[in-house]
Amino acid sequence: MARREHVQIKTAAELAKMRVAGLLVAQTLDRLREAAVPGTTTAELDAIAEKTIRAGGGIPSFKGYSHPPYPASICSSVNDEVVHAIPAKRRVLRDGDIISIDCGAIVDGWHGDAAITVPVGNVAPEILDMIRVCEEALWRGLAAARVGGRLTDISHAVEQHVRPHGYGIVDHYGGHGIGTEMHQPPHILNHGRPGRGIKLVPGLALAIEPMITMGSPETDLLSDEWTVVTKDGSWAAHTEHTVAITPEGPWVLTAHDGGAARLTALGVPCGQPAVAPT
Ligand code: MF3
Ligand code: CO
């Protein structure tokens, strides 16, 4: 049975506003990447994020979100934590850890949402490989965000890149539409047959976020009702960007270059306008 999904279509001027939010998220993640060193607490990362977002004229979108209200400005998911781990003063980063830092900001009513997984100090090469595969899978998904395609072309592109490496692909959790709210339809799984779901049309904005594991893709939800961990304790990677679909191609709103370098490497034109519409 077909379920109607009320997607929000943005004008060029609205996408330009989302770009401002996206760039603030990108700038915040740059700071957090630098700060994620051994001895830092995830609460310190959270404080940096909130300060950077507010200094840039934004509002942290995660704070107070949903039920129970999310208490922080970032999600800081370490090692076997997959997503949505809450920053804490007691959580000290150690050499060899990996951390997914997920960050969202609202500027002038429009959202940006992105995540990076970064190594803390010296990390085992096989773990670094997983992080790289997750990131590349994200870019394959972003490159599939093209007019004329369908939603699950994105899911399929992510899966196709991950499968040959043998990593677990976390089920159920996934990407989402984004605009005047952080989470809008459609939901975007990180696996599936291509050619299904809504048609990809200009003005659609999507957050694409693959989550992969070194072992089983099965997850548990901790008693804080937020933190998602792997059932088998294997480590996980999570990477996310917000992308706008334009007639010229995908425009990665949370990448400083709009995605130009990585998309071009995949043979896909970047949809970033030469001059921002006013
Ligand atoms: N990128 C995350 C997601 O789409 C942001 C949600 S974090 C929350 O699931 F804590 F605010 F929920
Ligand atoms: Co998201």
Side-chain angles (χ1 to χ4, degrees), residues 13-14 18 30 36 38 40 48 94 97 100 120 137 142 152 160 193 195 208 229 233 236 248 253 261 270:
E14 289 168 343
M18 288 188 70
D30 285 347
T40 303
I48 293 169
R94 306 283 179 206
D97 283 348
S100 152
V120 179
L142 294 164
T152 65
Q160 286 284 99
R193 294 174 57 182
I208 302 174
V229 298
E248 289 75 32
L253 302 174
C270 172

Side-chain angles (χ1 to χ4, degrees), residues 26-167:
Q27 185 200 335
T28 305
L29 287 175
D30 285 347
R31 299 242 172 115
L32 297 173
R33 183 191 291 276
E34 296 302 311
V37 295
T40 303
T41 69
T42 55
E44 287 170 324
L45 296 180
D46 185 54
I48 293 169
E50 179 160 9
K51 198 187 272 185
T52 308
I53 291 168
R54 294 199 191 278
I59 298 165
S61 52
F62 293 5
K63 218 165 195 182
Y65 182 77
S66 192
H67 296 284
Y70 190 78
S73 299
I74 58 168
C75 302
S76 51
S77 309
V78 179
N79 301 343
D80 64 319
E81 296 168 344
V82 184
V83 286
H84 302 170
I86 300 169
K89 285 181 190 152
R90 287 176 45 246
R91 189 74 197 230
V92 183
L93 296 178
R94 306 283 179 206
D95 186 58
D97 283 348
I98 60 171
I99 179 171
S100 152
I101 306 171
D102 193 340
C103 176
I106 311 166
V107 180
D108 201 10
W110 294 91
H111 285 252
D113 184 8
I116 52 175
T117 294
V118 295
V120 179
N122 292 302
V123 167
E126 64 269 27
I127 301 289
L128 294 177
D129 283 344
M130 172 181 63
I131 294 173
R132 263 193 295 273
V133 168
C134 191
E135 208 173 292
E136 180 63 22
L138 169 61
W139 282 99
R140 303 289 174 110
L142 294 164
R146 304 186 70 179
V147 174
R150 293 256 189 183
L151 186 69
T152 65
D153 296 352
I154 297 169
S155 313
H156 186 70
V158 169
E159 178 176 23
Q160 286 284 99
H161 185 71
V162 176
R163 285 288 178 224
H165 296 275
Y167 300 117

Side-chain angles (χ1 to χ4, degrees), residues 82 169-170 213 215-220 229-232:
V82 184
I169 298 178
V170 175
T213 72
S216 156
E218 297 290 300
T219 59
D220 280 325
V229 298
T230 60
K231 254 193 209 303
D232 64 1

